Short mmCIF file of all heavy atoms in Angstrom, two decimals:
data_model
loop_
_atom_site.label_atom_id
_atom_site.label_comp_id
_atom_site.label_asym_id
_atom_site.label_seq_id
_atom_site.Cartn_x
_atom_site.Cartn_y
_atom_site.Cartn_z
N GLY L 52 134.91 102.94 80.07
CA GLY L 52 136.25 102.43 79.79
C GLY L 52 137.04 101.95 80.99
O GLY L 52 138.24 101.73 80.91
N LYS L 53 136.38 101.74 82.11
CA LYS L 53 137.09 101.30 83.31
C LYS L 53 137.63 99.88 83.17
O LYS L 53 138.83 99.64 83.40
CB LYS L 53 136.14 101.36 84.53
CG LYS L 53 135.55 102.73 84.78
CD LYS L 53 134.58 102.73 85.95
CE LYS L 53 133.39 101.81 85.80
NZ LYS L 53 132.43 102.16 84.73
N SER L 54 136.78 98.97 82.76
CA SER L 54 137.24 97.59 82.59
C SER L 54 138.29 97.52 81.49
O SER L 54 139.29 96.82 81.63
CB SER L 54 136.08 96.66 82.22
OG SER L 54 135.13 96.65 83.24
N THR L 55 138.07 98.26 80.42
CA THR L 55 139.04 98.25 79.33
C THR L 55 140.40 98.75 79.82
O THR L 55 141.44 98.20 79.46
CB THR L 55 138.53 99.13 78.16
OG1 THR L 55 137.21 98.68 77.82
CG2 THR L 55 139.44 99.00 76.95
N THR L 56 140.40 99.76 80.67
CA THR L 56 141.65 100.25 81.24
C THR L 56 142.35 99.13 82.03
O THR L 56 143.54 98.86 81.83
CB THR L 56 141.39 101.45 82.18
OG1 THR L 56 140.75 102.48 81.42
CG2 THR L 56 142.68 101.99 82.78
N GLY L 57 141.58 98.46 82.88
CA GLY L 57 142.14 97.36 83.67
C GLY L 57 142.65 96.24 82.80
O GLY L 57 143.76 95.72 83.00
N ARG L 58 141.86 95.90 81.82
CA ARG L 58 142.25 94.81 80.92
C ARG L 58 143.47 95.16 80.10
O ARG L 58 144.30 94.30 79.80
CB ARG L 58 141.07 94.43 80.02
CG ARG L 58 139.89 93.81 80.78
CD ARG L 58 138.63 93.74 79.92
NE ARG L 58 138.85 92.93 78.74
CZ ARG L 58 138.71 91.61 78.71
NH1 ARG L 58 138.32 90.98 79.79
NH2 ARG L 58 138.95 90.94 77.60
N ALA L 59 143.60 96.43 79.74
CA ALA L 59 144.78 96.85 78.97
C ALA L 59 146.04 96.75 79.83
O ALA L 59 147.11 96.38 79.36
CB ALA L 59 144.60 98.28 78.45
N ILE L 60 145.90 97.04 81.12
CA ILE L 60 147.07 96.99 82.00
C ILE L 60 147.61 95.56 82.09
O ILE L 60 148.81 95.33 82.00
CB ILE L 60 146.74 97.53 83.41
CG1 ILE L 60 146.43 99.03 83.34
CG2 ILE L 60 147.90 97.28 84.38
CD1 ILE L 60 145.89 99.62 84.63
N ILE L 61 146.73 94.59 82.23
CA ILE L 61 147.26 93.23 82.31
C ILE L 61 147.45 92.59 80.94
O ILE L 61 147.88 91.45 80.84
CB ILE L 61 146.42 92.27 83.20
CG1 ILE L 61 145.01 92.11 82.67
CG2 ILE L 61 146.40 92.68 84.63
CD1 ILE L 61 144.37 90.84 83.26
N GLY L 62 147.15 93.33 79.89
CA GLY L 62 147.48 92.83 78.56
C GLY L 62 146.37 92.05 77.89
O GLY L 62 146.62 91.27 76.97
N LEU L 63 145.14 92.27 78.30
CA LEU L 63 144.04 91.58 77.63
C LEU L 63 143.42 92.41 76.51
O LEU L 63 142.57 91.93 75.79
CB LEU L 63 142.95 91.20 78.65
CG LEU L 63 143.32 90.07 79.59
CD1 LEU L 63 142.27 89.91 80.68
CD2 LEU L 63 143.49 88.77 78.82
N GLU L 64 143.84 93.67 76.40
CA GLU L 64 143.40 94.48 75.27
C GLU L 64 144.64 95.07 74.61
O GLU L 64 145.62 95.36 75.29
CB GLU L 64 142.49 95.64 75.72
CG GLU L 64 141.23 95.25 76.46
CD GLU L 64 140.16 94.58 75.60
OE1 GLU L 64 140.36 94.43 74.38
OE2 GLU L 64 139.14 94.16 76.19
N ASN L 65 144.58 95.26 73.31
CA ASN L 65 145.69 95.92 72.63
C ASN L 65 145.67 97.40 72.92
O ASN L 65 144.63 98.05 72.80
CB ASN L 65 145.59 95.70 71.12
CG ASN L 65 146.10 94.34 70.74
OD1 ASN L 65 147.18 93.93 71.19
ND2 ASN L 65 145.33 93.62 69.95
N VAL L 66 146.82 97.92 73.29
CA VAL L 66 146.92 99.34 73.58
C VAL L 66 147.12 100.09 72.26
O VAL L 66 148.00 99.76 71.48
CB VAL L 66 148.10 99.59 74.53
CG1 VAL L 66 148.37 101.08 74.69
CG2 VAL L 66 147.81 98.97 75.90
N THR L 67 146.27 101.07 72.00
CA THR L 67 146.37 101.83 70.77
C THR L 67 147.55 102.80 70.85
O THR L 67 148.36 102.89 69.95
CB THR L 67 145.06 102.61 70.51
OG1 THR L 67 143.97 101.68 70.55
CG2 THR L 67 145.09 103.31 69.16
N SER L 68 147.63 103.53 71.96
CA SER L 68 148.82 104.32 72.21
C SER L 68 148.92 104.62 73.69
O SER L 68 147.98 104.37 74.44
CB SER L 68 148.81 105.61 71.39
OG SER L 68 147.95 106.54 72.00
N GLY L 69 150.07 105.14 74.11
CA GLY L 69 150.29 105.39 75.53
C GLY L 69 151.18 104.32 76.13
O GLY L 69 151.65 103.41 75.44
N GLN L 70 151.40 104.44 77.42
CA GLN L 70 152.37 103.57 78.09
C GLN L 70 151.85 103.07 79.43
O GLN L 70 151.12 103.76 80.13
CB GLN L 70 153.62 104.39 78.40
CG GLN L 70 154.75 104.21 77.42
CD GLN L 70 155.99 104.90 77.94
OE1 GLN L 70 155.90 105.99 78.53
NE2 GLN L 70 157.13 104.28 77.75
N VAL L 71 152.27 101.86 79.78
CA VAL L 71 152.02 101.35 81.12
C VAL L 71 153.36 100.97 81.73
O VAL L 71 154.10 100.17 81.16
CB VAL L 71 151.09 100.12 81.10
CG1 VAL L 71 150.83 99.63 82.52
CG2 VAL L 71 149.78 100.42 80.40
N LEU L 72 153.72 101.58 82.86
CA LEU L 72 154.99 101.27 83.53
C LEU L 72 154.70 100.60 84.86
O LEU L 72 153.93 101.10 85.67
CB LEU L 72 155.79 102.55 83.79
CG LEU L 72 156.11 103.44 82.58
CD1 LEU L 72 156.78 104.73 83.04
CD2 LEU L 72 157.00 102.70 81.59
N PHE L 73 155.33 99.44 85.07
CA PHE L 73 155.16 98.73 86.34
C PHE L 73 156.51 98.66 87.03
O PHE L 73 157.47 98.13 86.46
CB PHE L 73 154.61 97.32 86.06
CG PHE L 73 154.39 96.50 87.31
CD1 PHE L 73 153.40 96.85 88.22
CD2 PHE L 73 155.16 95.37 87.56
CE1 PHE L 73 153.18 96.08 89.36
CE2 PHE L 73 154.94 94.61 88.70
CZ PHE L 73 153.95 94.97 89.61
N GLU L 74 156.63 99.21 88.19
CA GLU L 74 157.90 99.33 88.91
C GLU L 74 158.98 99.86 87.97
O GLU L 74 160.10 99.37 87.95
CB GLU L 74 158.30 97.97 89.51
CG GLU L 74 157.29 97.49 90.55
CD GLU L 74 157.71 96.20 91.26
OE1 GLU L 74 158.11 95.26 90.55
OE2 GLU L 74 157.63 96.17 92.50
N GLY L 75 158.61 100.83 87.17
CA GLY L 75 159.57 101.49 86.29
C GLY L 75 159.77 100.82 84.94
O GLY L 75 160.32 101.43 84.02
N LYS L 76 159.32 99.58 84.81
CA LYS L 76 159.51 98.87 83.53
C LYS L 76 158.32 99.10 82.61
O LYS L 76 157.17 99.07 83.04
CB LYS L 76 159.65 97.36 83.78
CG LYS L 76 160.97 96.94 84.37
CD LYS L 76 161.12 95.42 84.35
CE LYS L 76 160.05 94.70 85.14
NZ LYS L 76 160.27 94.60 86.58
N ASP L 77 158.65 99.30 81.33
CA ASP L 77 157.58 99.47 80.36
C ASP L 77 156.94 98.11 80.06
O ASP L 77 157.60 97.21 79.56
CB ASP L 77 158.16 100.07 79.06
CG ASP L 77 157.06 100.45 78.09
OD1 ASP L 77 156.02 99.76 78.08
OD2 ASP L 77 157.23 101.44 77.35
N ILE L 78 155.68 97.98 80.39
CA ILE L 78 155.01 96.69 80.16
C ILE L 78 153.85 96.84 79.18
O ILE L 78 152.90 96.06 79.18
CB ILE L 78 154.50 96.08 81.49
CG1 ILE L 78 153.49 97.02 82.18
CG2 ILE L 78 155.64 95.75 82.44
CD1 ILE L 78 152.58 96.29 83.16
N THR L 79 153.93 97.88 78.36
CA THR L 79 152.81 98.16 77.47
C THR L 79 152.54 97.03 76.48
O THR L 79 151.40 96.65 76.26
CB THR L 79 153.06 99.47 76.68
OG1 THR L 79 153.61 100.42 77.58
CG2 THR L 79 151.78 99.99 76.08
N SER L 80 153.60 96.50 75.88
CA SER L 80 153.37 95.51 74.83
C SER L 80 153.20 94.13 75.43
O SER L 80 153.62 93.85 76.55
CB SER L 80 154.56 95.49 73.87
OG SER L 80 155.67 94.93 74.53
N MET L 81 152.56 93.25 74.69
CA MET L 81 152.34 91.87 75.14
C MET L 81 153.68 91.19 75.40
O MET L 81 153.84 90.44 76.35
CB MET L 81 151.61 91.06 74.06
CG MET L 81 150.27 91.62 73.69
SD MET L 81 149.05 91.30 74.98
CE MET L 81 147.66 92.16 74.30
N LYS L 82 154.63 91.45 74.48
CA LYS L 82 155.94 90.81 74.56
C LYS L 82 156.63 91.08 75.89
O LYS L 82 157.32 90.23 76.44
CB LYS L 82 156.85 91.33 73.43
CG LYS L 82 156.76 90.55 72.15
CD LYS L 82 158.07 90.63 71.36
CE LYS L 82 158.59 92.05 71.23
NZ LYS L 82 158.11 92.73 70.02
N SER L 83 156.42 92.30 76.39
CA SER L 83 157.13 92.69 77.61
C SER L 83 156.54 92.03 78.86
O SER L 83 157.05 92.16 79.95
CB SER L 83 157.08 94.21 77.76
OG SER L 83 155.74 94.62 77.88
#
Side-chain angles (χ1 to χ4, degrees):
Chain L
K53 302 178 299 294
S54 298
T55 307
T56 301
R58 293 167 60 86
I60 293 171
I61 61 161
L63 288 172
E64 302 289 358
N65 280 313
V66 171
T67 307
S68 78
Q70 261 189 322
V71 181
L72 303 174
F73 181 68
E74 297 185 313
K76 286 190 300 277
D77 188 327
I78 60 158
T79 318
S80 70
M81 300 286 176
K82 271 207 312 269
S83 62

